[in-house]
Structures are given as structure tokens and as C-alpha cells.
């Protein structure tokens, strides 16, 4: 009997007999309105995480939906899709493996070489990196505490100032406004390292830094980012607690005062695109807004780094109106997209946010534009859905270099346009 039991166990462990289900990423395309309604229900009533679009309200016919499905919901969700003949494919059959790949980290010391920047880093490692960058570059990098998060974590901005040229303007770059978009903070670290390493060697970055200081906020949403490392990899919002419902989190990119909480946002605290109780209700968005208000005459170029979907966007996202300098912004993003295509063989869409994706009021880029920062952009980095928010570390280098070439292309054009305007201005 014992021999039979051992044989039974062995037979059920053979390759091909394993039935363990893992977390999956599905690409689903509803064809009819009925299928749209079913998919909206699946994404809200089952334990899933909607990746694309950001909210069920954006799901529409014949448009791809990317859904993260945990193992315990997988069989039920797939059966439901098949029952209603809803077209779907498995983009990733083992998302757990991707998460393990992202969190594996052999290097926490930023002085350990280039590989540090080809890994994802948790919040404590990023804070440690900030300390080392300041220590190693005291004359070039200044640390500015602009506020603290809902859970009282510091919001650190690095100011890169590589020379004392008079009359310099500045650019702003923020990363990690949405917690699960790990490639975003990775880019902020990458940009700092590139700037410090290649100033005086690379012509473009030298010219830009001779004419501009750079303010960089590596993690705008530290509470949410930390939560994605410790508890829920798919978390998007910050971690403030709603007084009315007990639900957690505000979408910080719906919390700025730009057509706040109109179509494309939600006043339900339990949704992914909750706009908050009022504009700048969250300490994170208020800290950014206060800093930029205090520096609006200096900052003339604004970048907010997101993922995923490979897009170079500009205002407006909060309305379907065209920005006053729409033509300039379109030309800049077109040139940046063409350079990415030429050098990295990758395609980025470009255009005004509301026309390129959908209405998204309360965004930081629209707010910055209305403040007077007329060159304001949101970048959506790699990829277009194969890995989504779980972009492997092996892709960091290419993703960051694509974003870097776009930042440099646009910054050079802004400096050029500013100089042209200065020449045209009458002198008295």
C-alpha cells in the first residue's frame, strides 16, 4: 500500500500534470455593448486589477483591455469570458515570476556601478541613493524637502545646478505619482546619473544644463510606492484614508486644480480615479503645487513620468480644448517620437492627452500649464502591454534612454524658442 501511494504521488508530480494556476495578465477585446458591460462587471466585482484603461468607465467596444487576474480569480474570470464569447489572450501566464524578477536586487549601493540603475529599488534604497548622491556631489546637487506624504514620509526634490550662469531657467521632472509604475522612479534616478556622468562630455546634456537647472522629485507618491513593495504590487493611489467611506487612497493625478473632478474622474473614494475631497486635498499634490507656485517664474518646462503605453502627451487632458501653443507642443513631441523611432526602433504616440487617450481632469501637467509653465508634458514609458507595470529589469535601460532622448529633444527646443523670444523682445 505504501508503494502504491508513493507511485500515485510521483505520477501526479510529473511534467504536464501540474495544474497550479498563477496570476495572469489578460488582453481582452469586447465587441458588443453587452460584452463591455460584462467586462466592466468583471473588473469591479471580482478580485482583479484593471491596468488599461485606468477605470471601467473607459472600457468600450473593440478596444483592448488589460486585466491583471490573481490566481484565485483566474478560472472564474476565464470561464465567464468564454461563456460570453469575449475575445481574450493571455499576455503573461505567470505574472508572479515577473514580480519576483522586478524585486530581485543584488545591488543597493549606488556606487556599485551602472547595474544599480538597471534594477528597481524600494523606497528605503531610493532614500539611501539620495543621501549618497548629495554626499558625492555637494557642489552640483542640492536637497530640498518640499513637504511630506499622508503617512509622513519626506518628499525630497533634488536640484541639479551644474554652473553659475546668470539668468538660468529650470525644468521640473516628477516620477512615481502612480505607485505601481516602477519604471517611472527608475527614470528619475537614471536621469540624475546621466546628467552628472555626461555633463561636459555629451554635447546635448551639457548645453541643456548650462542653460537650465533641473528639479527632480524621484518619488511623488512614497506611501503608495512603498505599499507596492510590501503589500500590493498593483496599488495605484496614495494611502490617505477617506473620512466618508474608509476606502484608501486618492489618485494624485486627478487631485490638481485643472477642471477638477469633472468627466474622467470620480468622486467615489473606492475607485482608482478618485479625485479627493477637493483640489490639492492630498499633502503630496499640495507640496508639488506649492513648490511650483513659488518657482513659476523660474520653471519653464515640466515633465511628469508615467507608464505604460508609450506616449508623449501634452495639455489638455482635462478638456477637449486645444492649448494656446498646441502647434509648438505637437511639433516638439513629434520630433521626440521620431528620434525614439530612429535610434531605438520603438513607436510612441504623441498628442494632446484628451484626444490621444481620454479625458483625465485634475492632472499635474494641465495644472502646471495653467500656472504658466507653457511647455508641459506627460510621458508614458514602455511598454504597450506585454509586461505593462511589470516591465522586467532588462528593459529599464532602453525605456530610460527613450525617455531621455525625448526629454533632451524637447528641452533643446524650449531653450531655442526662449532665446528667439528674447531676441524679439523690444529693449527700452
Amino acid at each position: 500500500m505504501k508503494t502504491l501511494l508513493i507511485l500515485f504521488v510521483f505520477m501526479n508530480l510529473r511534467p504536464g500534470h501540474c495544474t497550479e494556476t498563477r496570476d495572469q495578465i489578460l488582453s481582452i477585446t469586447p465587441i458588443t455593448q453587452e460584452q463591455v458591460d460584462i467586462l466592466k462587471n468583471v473588473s469591479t466585482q471580482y478580485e482583479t486589477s484593471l491596468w488599461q484603461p485606468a477605470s471601467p468607465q473607459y472600457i468600450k467596444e473593440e478596444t483592448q483591455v488589460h486585466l491583471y487576474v490573481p490566481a484565485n480569480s483566474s478560472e472564474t474570470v476565464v470561464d465567464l469570458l468564454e461563456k460570453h464569447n469575449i475575445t481574450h489572450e493571455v499576455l503573461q501566464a505567470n505574472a508572479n515570476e515577473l514580480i519576483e524578477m522586478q524585486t530581485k536586487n543584488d545591488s543597493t549601493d549606488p556606487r556599485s556601478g551602472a547595474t544599480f540603475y538597471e534594477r528597481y529599488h524600494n523606497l528605503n534604497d531610493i532614500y539611501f541613493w539620495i543621501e549618497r548622491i548629495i554626499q558625492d556631489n555637494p557642489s552640483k546637487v542640492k536637497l530640498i524637502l518640499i513637504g511630506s506624504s499622508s503617512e509622513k514620509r519626506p518628499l525630497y526634490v533634488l536640484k541639479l545646478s551644474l554652473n553659475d550662469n546668470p539668468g538660468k531657467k529650470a525644468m521640473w521632472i516628477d516620477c512615481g505619482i502612480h505607485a505601481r509604475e516602477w519604471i517611472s522612479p527608475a527614470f528619475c534616478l537614471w536621469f540624475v546619473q546621466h546628467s552628472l556622468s555626461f555633463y561636459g562630455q555629451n554635447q546635448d546634456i551639457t548645453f541643456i544644463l548650462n542653460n537650465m537647472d533641473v528639479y527632480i522629485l524621484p518619488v511623488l507618491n512614497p506611501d503608495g510606492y512603498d505599499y507596492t513593495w510590501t503589500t500590493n504590487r498593483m496599488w495605484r493611489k496614495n494611502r490617505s484614508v477617506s473620512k466618508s467611506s474608509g476606502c484608501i487612497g486618492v489618485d494624485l493625478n486627478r487631485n490638481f486644480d485643472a477642471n477638477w473632478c469633472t468627466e474622467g474622474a470620480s468622486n467615489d473614494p473606492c475607485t482608482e480615479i478618485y479625485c479627493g475631497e477637493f483640489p490639492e486635498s492630498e499633502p503630496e499634490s499640495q507640496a508639488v503645487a506649492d513648490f511650483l507656485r513659488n518657482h513659476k517664474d523660474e520653471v519653464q518646462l515640466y515633465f511628469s513620468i508615467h507608464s505604460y503605453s508609450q506616449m508623449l502627451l501634452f495639455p489638455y487632458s482635462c478638456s477637449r480644448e486645444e492649448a494656446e501653443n498646441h502647434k509648438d507642443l505637437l511639433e516638439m513631441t513629434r520630433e521626440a517620437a521620431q528620434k525614439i523611432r530612429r535610434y531605438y526602433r520603438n513607436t510612441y504616440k504623441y498628442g494632446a492627452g484628451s484626444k490621444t487617450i481620454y479625458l483625465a481632469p485634475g492632472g499635474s501637467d494641465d495644472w502646471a500649464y495653467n500656472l504658466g509653465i507653457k511647455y508641459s508634458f506627460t510621458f508614458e514609458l514602455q511598454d504597450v502591454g506585454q509586461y505593462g507595470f511589470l516591465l522586467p529589469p532588462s528593459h529599464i535601460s532602453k525605456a530610460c534612454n527613450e525617455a531621455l532622448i525625448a526629454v533632451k529633444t524637447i528641452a533643446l527646443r524650449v531653450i531655442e524658442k526662449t532665446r528667439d523670444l528674447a531676441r524679439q523682445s523690444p529693449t527700452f
Side-chain angles (χ1 to χ4, degrees):
M1 183 69 187
K2 186 175 180 181
T3 305
L4 284 173
L5 179 61
I6 293 170
L7 182 62
F8 174 78
V9 170
F10 175 76
M11 288 177 65
N12 280 276
L13 288 175
R14 285 183 303 160
H17 285 257
C18 180
T19 58
E20 182 184 2
T21 306
R22 300 297 187 98
D23 295 1
Q24 297 183 330
I25 306 169
L26 303 182
S27 177
I28 308 163
T29 308
I31 305 300
T32 65
Q33 185 57 47
E34 181 189 5
Q35 291 181 343
V36 167
D37 293 338
I38 290 165
L39 196 48
K40 285 181 178 179
N41 183 61
V42 166
S43 65
T44 53
Q45 301 303 314
Y46 292 84
E47 188 186 341
T48 62
S49 177
L50 185 60
W51 280 15
Q52 181 182 293
S55 169
Q57 71 185 53
Y58 300 127
I59 296 174
K60 57 185 180 181
E61 297 168 28
E62 298 185 4
T63 302
Q64 268 193 15
V65 172
H66 296 157
L67 193 66
Y68 184 93
V69 185
N72 56 2
S73 302
S74 183
E75 189 175 340
T76 305
V77 168
V78 170
D79 286 349
L80 189 60
L81 296 175
E82 289 176 348
K83 178 183 174 183
H84 293 279
N85 297 314
I86 300 176
T87 305
H88 66 280
E89 65 171 313
V90 179
L91 294 176
Q92 296 294 334
N94 187 355
N96 311 69
E97 190 174 62
L98 291 176
I99 294 173
E100 288 168 16
M101 198 187 303
Q102 282 195 319
T103 53
K104 185 180 180 182
N105 193 344
D106 302 324
S107 165
T108 58
D109 189 340
R111 293 189 291 199
S112 62
T115 55
F116 177 87
Y117 297 93
E118 295 176 6
R119 298 280 186 273
Y120 294 108
H121 297 281
N122 64 35
L123 188 65
N124 285 336
D125 282 352
I126 292 175
Y127 284 151
F128 175 69
W129 170 85
I130 289 172
E131 288 179 17
R132 298 305 280 266
I133 285 291
I134 299 293
Q135 288 173 13
D136 293 348
N137 303 275
S139 64
K140 300 172 183 175
V141 187
K142 178 184 176 185
L143 184 65
I144 305 170
L145 176 65
I146 66 166
S148 58
S149 67
S150 179
E151 295 179 343
K152 306 305 178 189
R153 291 183 174 89
L155 296 170
Y156 288 131
V157 166
L158 297 176
K159 181 182 181 181
L160 301 188
S161 189
L162 278 291
N163 58 54
D164 296 323
N165 290 352
K168 274 196 300 183
K169 296 296 186 180
M171 78 167 88
W172 167 279
I173 305 174
D174 63 56
C175 296
I177 194 170
H178 288 143
R180 61 194 179 187
E181 299 171 10
W182 284 12
I183 188 62
S184 174
F187 172 73
C188 266
L189 273 59
W190 185 279
F191 182 87
V192 172
Q193 166 69 1
H194 178 86
S195 298
L196 295 173
S197 298
F198 290 96
Y199 178 76
Q201 298 180 40
N202 176 276
Q203 183 178 346
D204 287 344
I205 200 68
T206 303
F207 181 79
I208 290 165
L209 294 171
N210 279 340
N211 287 275
M212 280 186 166
D213 291 333
V214 188
Y215 294 105
I216 299 167
L217 175 54
V219 189
L220 197 160
N221 178 8
D223 300 343
Y225 185 71
D226 185 66
Y227 193 72
T228 61
W229 277 84
T230 61
T231 310
N232 179 359
R233 178 63 186 84
M234 295 307 123
W235 192 258
R236 170 183 166 93
K237 301 185 285 182
N238 76 347
R239 294 293 301 164
S240 63
V241 182
S242 167
K243 296 167 187 166
S244 60
S245 70
C247 283
I248 304 292
V250 169
D251 182 346
L252 296 175
N253 207 41
R254 298 292 190 279
N255 192 234
F256 287 82
D257 195 5
N259 284 5
W260 176 80
C261 220
T262 51
E263 182 185 348
S266 171
N267 58 10
D268 178 357
C270 302
T271 61
E272 292 280 46
I273 54 171
Y274 173 47
C275 59
E277 290 186 25
F278 50 86
E280 297 175 33
S281 61
E282 305 310 293
E284 299 90 347
S285 48
Q286 186 182 37
V288 169
D290 284 345
F291 183 86
L292 289 173
R293 274 190 286 263
N294 290 331
H295 294 79
K296 66 178 182 178
D297 294 331
E298 177 190 359
V299 177
Q300 63 177 183
L301 177 55
Y302 177 97
F303 292 107
S304 187
I305 309 298
H306 294 242
S307 73
Y308 61 97
S309 66
Q310 295 179 191
M311 294 182 182
L312 309 178
L313 307 173
F314 54 82
Y316 284 108
S317 295
C318 65
S319 80
R320 294 187 176 89
E321 291 178 23
E322 283 194 355
E324 182 184 340
N325 59 339
H326 175 90
K327 186 179 176 183
D328 284 347
L329 299 174
L330 185 64
E331 284 177 1
M332 289 175 178
T333 52
R334 180 190 293 119
E335 183 185 359
Q338 287 171 345
K339 284 191 177 179
I340 291 172
R341 180 73 176 165
R342 186 186 314 148
Y343 292 112
Y344 296 104
R345 300 286 185 266
N346 219 348
T347 301
Y348 278 64
K349 292 182 180 178
Y350 55 90
S354 61
K355 297 177 182 179
T356 309
I357 314 182
Y358 39 64
L359 280 170
S364 63
D365 58 346
D366 285 347
W367 176 85
Y369 183 88
N370 289 338
L371 181 68
I373 304 172
K374 294 305 180 185
Y375 300 103
S376 182
F377 302 89
T378 289
F379 289 177
E380 298 280 357
L381 305 193
Q382 286 190 24
D383 58 5
V384 291
Q386 184 68 34
Y387 297 105
F389 301 120
L390 301 180
L391 194 70
S394 59
H395 291 240
I396 291 174
S397 175
K398 188 180 176 190
C400 288
N401 277 318
E402 288 171 354
L404 181 65
I405 203 169
V407 167
K408 291 201 290 188
T409 299
I410 290 170
L412 289 170
R413 288 291 164 261
V414 169
I415 293 168
E416 181 184 290
K417 284 186 177 294
T418 303
R419 286 185 168 183
D420 288 344
L421 287 171
R423 288 192 197 103
Q424 293 166 17
S425 298
T427 54
F428 297 97

